[in-house]
Amino acid sequence: MLVHVLFAVRDRRSLQRLIGDMDEHCIFDIVTTGVQALQACRKAVPDILVIDAVLPGLDGLGVVDRLRRDLGGRMPRVIGGSRTCFGRAGFLRRGADAVVATPWKPETLKSALLLAMADREERIDWEALRPARIKAGELLERMGMHASLKGYAYLSCAAALASENESRLHAIGKGLYAPLAKHFRTTSGNVERLIRHAVESTMSAARARGVYSLFGNTIDPAKGKPTNAQIIALLAQKMRVGNSEQE
């Protein structure tokens, strides 16, 4: 299946060689302003958006902000291009999949595109995971975790993924944080941080009793607050046991 790539760049000439190398794998569209990028993405959402930080009218960071607001979960993968630290940091804060230096170099950009295309191969059916996410949420509420915490949503999704595929726990960054970051259009570091905050908040004061009552002696209070990986693994195990008892 061909991958639809939209380039929003100031100089089309820098893309000629790249397009020649990859036209068997991709469908390419090229625009040269931020407004044109917005219009093109709203008309037909591309699989991958390659965008300059600096564009006429509306800059690349502004385009990404508006698309995240308008498209939500349909947001394309983003490869940002910048020649400054400010632009690079801006793209990374917005959850870009990659940031490369400009002027665009064909080989560097090709590598970033190939990685984005490879990552795209893993398609998680989030709608099909919804029942598992609900079960995880019920367990989190029994722990005393408030659904208003941002980490609650991340943790329920992580437990759902781990309950269906335990191997994700062997490399929690790549197996859980990375797909969650892509789904929620944020960064892996932000997913990890907010899950940790949700766990630590729940373990504070009287609510810690809910955690110990749910997991019993699998959590030792003497060892301090459980890690993200421990909580996710215990939730996933509870969910798997519950599923097997229902069968």
Side-chain angles (χ1 to χ4, degrees), residues 140 145-158 180 190-199:
L140 292 176
M145 183 175 291
H146 292 311
S148 59
L149 291 168
K150 186 74 172 177
Y152 174 99
Y154 296 159
L155 193 47
S156 62
C157 287
L180 285 172
N190 202 36
V191 170
E192 188 275 336
R193 179 179 62 81
L194 289 172
I195 288 178
R196 185 173 67 249
H197 174 262
V199 171

Side-chain angles (χ1 to χ4, degrees), residues 176-195:
L176 292 174
Y177 295 158
L180 285 172
K182 288 170 185 173
H183 179 61
F184 287 100
R185 303 313 301 174
T186 185
T187 64
S188 294
N190 202 36
V191 170
E192 188 275 336
R193 179 179 62 81
L194 289 172
I195 288 178

Side-chain angles (χ1 to χ4, degrees), residues 13-222:
R13 294 171 298 179
S14 61
L15 304 175
Q16 290 176 351
R17 179 178 152 198
L18 173 72
I19 290 174
D21 287 345
M22 299 189 67
D23 60 358
E24 291 184 3
H25 309 284
C26 304
I27 299 171
F28 296 106
D29 286 313
I30 304 174
V31 297
T32 56
T33 73
V35 172
Q36 289 173 345
L38 281 177
Q39 292 172 340
C41 286
R42 288 167 178 164
K43 183 177 179 181
V45 180
D47 297 303
I48 301 171
L49 171 64
V50 180
I51 187 165
D52 262 322
V54 179
L55 289 170
L58 179 65
D59 66 25
L61 300 180
V63 171
V64 172
D65 284 338
R66 294 196 189 185
L67 288 176
R68 287 184 64 185
R69 181 193 65 198
D70 296 347
L71 300 179
R74 297 187 300 128
M75 183 75 181
R77 300 201 183 283
V78 175
I79 298 174
S82 178
R83 66 176 66 202
T84 68
C85 294
F86 172 82
R88 177 179 178 81
F91 277 123
L92 291 176
R93 281 198 305 272
R94 288 161 174 81
D97 296 88
V99 185
V100 300
T102 56
W104 303 101
K105 294 182 179 178
E107 291 306 318
T108 304
L109 183 52
K110 182 178 179 180
S111 296
L113 273 172
L114 290 172
L115 283 173
M117 290 166 64
D119 287 344
R120 182 176 165 271
E121 292 302 315
E122 184 191 18
R123 291 190 175 275
I124 296 172
D125 189 341
W126 293 100
E127 186 57 32
L129 275 177
R130 191 175 177 210
R133 292 168 65 179
I134 292 173
K135 287 183 182 179
E138 291 171 351
L139 291 173
L140 292 176
E141 289 173 13
R142 285 174 57 189
M143 281 172 49
M145 183 175 291
H146 292 311
S148 59
L149 291 168
K150 186 74 172 177
Y152 174 99
Y154 296 159
L155 193 47
S156 62
C157 287
L161 286 170
S163 69
E164 294 204 345
N165 185 352
E166 191 176 3
S167 67
R168 290 182 181 276
L169 290 165
H170 301 325
I172 193 169
K174 184 177 180 181
L176 292 174
Y177 295 158
L180 285 172
K182 288 170 185 173
H183 179 61
F184 287 100
R185 303 313 301 174
T186 185
T187 64
S188 294
N190 202 36
V191 170
E192 188 275 336
R193 179 179 62 81
L194 289 172
I195 288 178
R196 185 173 67 249
H197 174 262
V199 171
E200 290 178 349
S201 297
T202 304
M203 293 297 296
S204 299
R207 290 203 302 274
R209 289 199 296 268
V211 180
Y212 297 130
S213 65
L214 180 63
F215 295 120
N217 59 8
T218 53
I219 291 181
D220 184 356

